[in-house]
């Protein structure tokens, strides 16, 4: 049954306002951590603009909703239930990716539930555009670093500039360059995709052209960043490092960022469809079908999710770190090792040289109570990425356990092999994902999820003797 326009709009807006308030209350941690990332990480500064731009895209598309009826639907409540479960899992494991995906995927689903399938289908892109609010993409940095280093060295060979590459370090006669995280071009990459997708939606009607321009917005920043690094090294080569270093390096980066966006939009203008087929915006009145049940169900689910999350986040009791038994494997009179992990705020940590390794193998262990810290977190690093870069990946099998290996190198060509594992509730994990899932299961069952990480670094060519010694000493499963 349709109701008068004025009453219909007032009713649907009231439902929307109530759902948004509940959404903010339930996902407060997801929202607050996302805003913190938007503010403090320049890669994601665009996050503040995404939701306003999404609503703007809905507004400019309003004329295409003519002859449709606002028909609240119950099916999106099923999707919301799944997102609530994902959020709870993210909360239990403090997995911010899960928190942010659930938070920002929930908003377009709420709108879908309020306006119905037909209108949501017409608004598919603006609703999906909200997902760009999710601060994700830093995981691509190592791959973009590798691609940039590969591409730069390939082009340097074409220009006959003498160079030598070790990991992510590129050396020329005048000096050494590191393709650091800041040089990965991830900022260019994400910004180009966001701008490119919005431009394609507004200026192309053909799905083929939209898809092609979107792919172009992905390839362009990668290619441009390779050329940027090539340019910096080339300038340094011909000016004897007088330019293209320090502040010059950063200035070239910002100019190149602007150049990438201008090139992207300029290319779009060359192929833009002059007549996009969009009807000029006019006053559009959409009939509203009287349905309250979908909103009631979605509101109830958000309230239940909030109650569940409140129980889950209650502070747990303090736990004392377990004792370590390492006297039999700890070497004495060894100088500081060239390598050390970087762990954030562990309750207990210890690094020592392994007995019988000629001071060439170092063992690090840290214990986390999960009160104000995390055993498995992106903030915990196996090496200092300012001093080391990854040369290769491998694995080794010892006592029926397969351990991952990182081959690290320094600018001075020092080699270190590193492996690690986790011990949670006396169970050993060499997979970070499996260890995290096990912790989540423990937390959701109301059990302690404390754990220990072991990291071994060696300057020997083989890690197996060191791992065998640790197994034989019985110290791996201390917890």
């Amino acid at each position: 049954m349709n109701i008068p326009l004025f009453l219909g709009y007032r009713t649907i807006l009231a439902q929307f306002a109530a759902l948004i308030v509940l959404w903010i209350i339930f996902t407060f941690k997801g929202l607050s951590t996302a805003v913190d990332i938007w503010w403090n990480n320049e890669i994601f500064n665009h996050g503040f603009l995404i939701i306003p731009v999404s609503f703007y895209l809905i507004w400019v598309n309003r004329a295409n909703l003519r002859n449709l009826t606002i028909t609240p639907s119950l099916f999106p409540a099923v999707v919301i239930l799944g997102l609530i479960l994902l959020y709870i899992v993210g909360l239990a494991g403090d997995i911010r990716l899960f928190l942010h995906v659930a938070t920002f995927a929930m908003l377009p689903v709420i709108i879908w539930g309020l306006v119905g399938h037909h209108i949501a289908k017409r608004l598919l892109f603006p609703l999906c555009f909200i997902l760009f609010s999710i601060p994700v993409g830093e995981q691509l940095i190592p791959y973009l670093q590798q691609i940039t280093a590969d591409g730069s060295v390939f082009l340097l060979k074409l220009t006959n500039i003498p160079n030598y590459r070790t990991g992510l370090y590129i050396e020329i006669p005048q000096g050494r360059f590191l393709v650091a995280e800041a040089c990965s071009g991830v900022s260019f990459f994400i910004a180009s995709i966001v701008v490119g997708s919005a431009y394609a939606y507004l200026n192309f009607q053909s799905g083929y052209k939209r898809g092609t321009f979107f792919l172009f917005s992905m390839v362009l920043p990668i290619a441009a960043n390779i050329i940027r690094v090539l340019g910096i090294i080339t300038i340094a080569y011909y000016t004897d490092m007088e330019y293209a270093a320090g502040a010059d390096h950063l200035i070239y980066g910002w100019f190149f960022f602007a150049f990438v966006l201008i090139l992207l939009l300029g290319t779009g203008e060359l192929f833009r469809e002059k007549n996009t087929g969009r009807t000029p915006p006019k006053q559009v009145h959409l009939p509203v079908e009287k349905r309250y049940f979908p909103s009631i169900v979605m509101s109830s689910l958000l309230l239940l999710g909030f109650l569940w999350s409140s129980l889950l986040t209650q502070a747990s009791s303090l736990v004392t770190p377990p004792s370590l038994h390492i006297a039999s494997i700890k070497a004495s009179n060894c100088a500081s090792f060239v390598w050390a992990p970087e762990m954030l705020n562990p309750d207990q940590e210890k690094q020592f040289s392994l007995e019988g390794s000629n001071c060439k193998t170092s063992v690090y262990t840290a214990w986390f109570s999960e009160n104000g810290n995390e055993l498995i977190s992106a903030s915990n690093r196996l090496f200092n990425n300012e001093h080391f870069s990854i040369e290769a990946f491998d694995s080794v099998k010892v006592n029926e356990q397969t351990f991952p290996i990182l081959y690290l190198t320094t600018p001075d060509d020092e080699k270190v092999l590193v492996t690690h594992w986790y011990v949670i509730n006396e169970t050993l994990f060499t997979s970070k994902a499996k260890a995290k899932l096990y912790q989540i299961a423990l937390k959701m069952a109301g059990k302690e999820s404390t754990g220990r990480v072991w990291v071994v670094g060696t300057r020997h060519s083989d890690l197996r003797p060191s791992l065998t010694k640790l197994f034989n000493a019985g110290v791996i499963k201390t917890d």
Side-chain angles (χ1 to χ4, degrees):
M1 181 182 71
N2 293 348
I3 56 180
L5 285 177
F6 173 72
L7 292 176
Y9 287 158
R10 189 172 66 177
T11 300
I12 209 74
L13 287 174
Q15 294 177 46
F16 180 67
L19 284 165
I20 289 300
V21 170
L22 290 172
W23 171 69
I24 292 172
I25 292 172
F26 171 55
T27 64
F28 184 77
K29 183 173 182 179
L31 287 170
S32 59
T33 53
V35 169
D36 183 64
I37 293 172
W38 297 345
W39 182 261
N40 293 301
N41 191 331
E42 64 178 11
I43 296 173
F44 303 111
N45 289 160
H46 65 274
F48 289 104
L49 301 175
I50 297 300
I51 292 178
V53 169
S54 298
F55 281 100
Y56 169 76
L57 293 175
I58 291 173
W59 176 254
V60 300
N61 200 43
R62 67 192 186 281
N64 292 330
L65 305 179
R66 210 179 264 111
N67 301 322
L68 295 178
T69 301
I70 295 176
T71 310
S73 172
L74 186 58
F75 178 76
V78 178
V79 182
I80 287 179
L81 177 60
L83 292 172
I84 288 173
L85 292 174
L86 179 65
Y87 188 88
I88 293 297
V89 170
L91 201 61
D94 203 9
I95 305 175
R96 291 193 174 186
L97 177 61
F98 286 8
L99 290 176
H100 297 153
V101 168
T103 296
F104 293 107
M106 213 174 289
L107 180 56
V109 175
I110 288 171
I111 296 172
W112 171 23
L114 284 174
V115 301
H117 304 309
H118 297 297
I119 292 179
K121 186 177 180 181
R122 295 279 182 92
L123 299 176
L124 183 61
F125 179 82
L127 294 179
C128 290
F129 192 78
I130 294 174
L131 299 180
F132 280 124
S133 300
I134 301 169
V136 64
E138 285 187 304
Q139 297 83 354
L140 297 173
I141 288 177
Y143 304 101
L144 292 174
Q145 285 177 284
Q146 197 70 36
I147 291 170
T148 301
D150 291 342
S152 301
V153 168
F154 174 77
L155 294 178
L156 282 171
K157 290 178 180 178
L158 296 181
T159 59
N160 293 322
I161 293 177
N163 67 87
Y164 174 73
R165 178 183 172 187
T166 305
L168 296 175
Y169 293 95
I170 302 174
E171 295 187 55
I172 59 174
Q174 286 72 17
R176 179 189 295 118
F177 293 85
L178 169 64
V179 183
E181 291 185 1
C183 301
S184 66
V186 69
S187 298
F188 303 162
F189 184 72
I190 294 175
S192 177
I193 289 176
V194 173
V195 173
S197 59
Y199 183 92
Y201 174 73
L202 290 171
N203 295 282
F204 297 110
Q205 287 295 299
S206 163
Y208 172 77
K209 287 188 175 181
R210 283 178 174 176
T212 301
F213 192 78
F214 180 76
L215 290 175
F216 177 67
S217 71
M218 294 178 66
V219 174
L220 175 63
I222 295 174
N225 192 54
I226 291 173
I227 295 172
R228 180 180 74 92
V229 172
L230 171 69
I232 289 170
I233 296 175
T234 302
I235 292 171
Y237 177 73
Y238 286 108
T239 63
D240 198 22
M241 297 293 283
E242 184 176 354
Y243 300 106
D248 295 331
H249 190 113
L250 297 175
I251 291 170
Y252 298 151
W254 282 108
F255 273 112
F256 224 81
F257 178 68
F259 171 74
V260 168
L261 289 182
I262 292 171
L263 182 60
L264 177 68
L265 298 178
T267 304
E269 285 298 306
L270 291 176
F271 298 98
R272 182 169 67 91
E273 298 171 2
K274 303 303 178 183
N275 181 12
T276 60
R278 295 184 184 276
T279 307
K282 295 179 181 178
Q283 193 71 18
V284 178
H285 298 291
L286 303 179
V288 180
E289 191 169 320
K290 186 178 179 181
R291 289 187 184 178
Y292 300 107
F293 190 62
S295 296
I296 293 172
V297 173
M298 289 189 289
S299 299
S300 301
L301 289 173
L302 289 171
L303 280 171
L304 290 173
F306 172 70
L307 293 174
W308 191 3
S309 65
S310 299
L311 293 173
L312 203 62
T313 53
Q314 289 180 352
S316 57
S317 58
L318 295 177
V319 185
T320 304
S323 57
L324 275 173
H325 308 287
I326 58 174
S328 63
I329 57 169
K330 181 182 177 182
S332 57
N333 302 321
C334 287
S336 297
F337 199 66
V338 67
W339 155 90
E342 294 184 334
M343 300 288 164
L344 183 63
N345 194 31
D347 296 273
Q348 178 197 71
E349 64 179 336
K350 184 77 174 178
Q351 184 165 5
F352 57 92
S353 293
L354 186 64
E355 179 68 33
S357 67
N358 295 323
C359 298
K360 289 188 176 181
T361 298
S362 181
V363 179
Y364 173 92
T365 183
W367 183 84
F368 293 80
S369 66
E370 296 290 311
N371 281 317
N373 56 27
E374 287 184 85
L375 172 65
I376 302 168
S377 167
S379 301
N380 296 334
R381 297 175 180 266
L382 299 179
F383 60 93
N384 184 326
N385 59 5
E386 292 183 1
H387 297 151
F388 289 92
S389 66
I390 299 174
E391 208 171 29
F393 299 89
D394 202 354
S395 62
V396 62
K397 194 168 186 178
V398 178
N399 286 19
E400 302 304 317
Q401 285 283 354
T402 302
F403 294 86
I405 297 179
L406 292 179
Y407 288 81
L408 305 180
T409 184
T410 69
D412 299 322
D413 208 25
E414 290 183 281
K415 310 292 184 181
V416 178
L417 277 65
V418 174
T419 189
H420 72 289
W421 64 93
Y422 304 96
V423 178
I424 305 168
N425 198 22
E426 298 188 358
T427 305
L428 185 146
F429 296 91
T430 57
S431 165
K432 181 184 292 187
K434 290 180 180 179
K436 192 68 172 178
L437 289 173
Y438 184 66
Q439 278 193 309
I440 292 170
L442 290 174
K443 287 184 179 180
M444 295 186 74
K447 299 179 180 179
E448 293 292 342
S449 58
T450 61
R452 181 179 296 280
V453 61
W454 291 86
V455 194
V456 179
T458 185
R459 298 175 70 177
H460 292 296
S461 59
D462 191 355
L463 266 166
R464 279 172 292 192
S466 300
L467 292 174
T468 301
K469 181 182 282 291
L470 289 170
F471 265 111
N472 293 338
V475 300
I476 288 181
K477 295 186 179 182
T478 301
D479 295 23

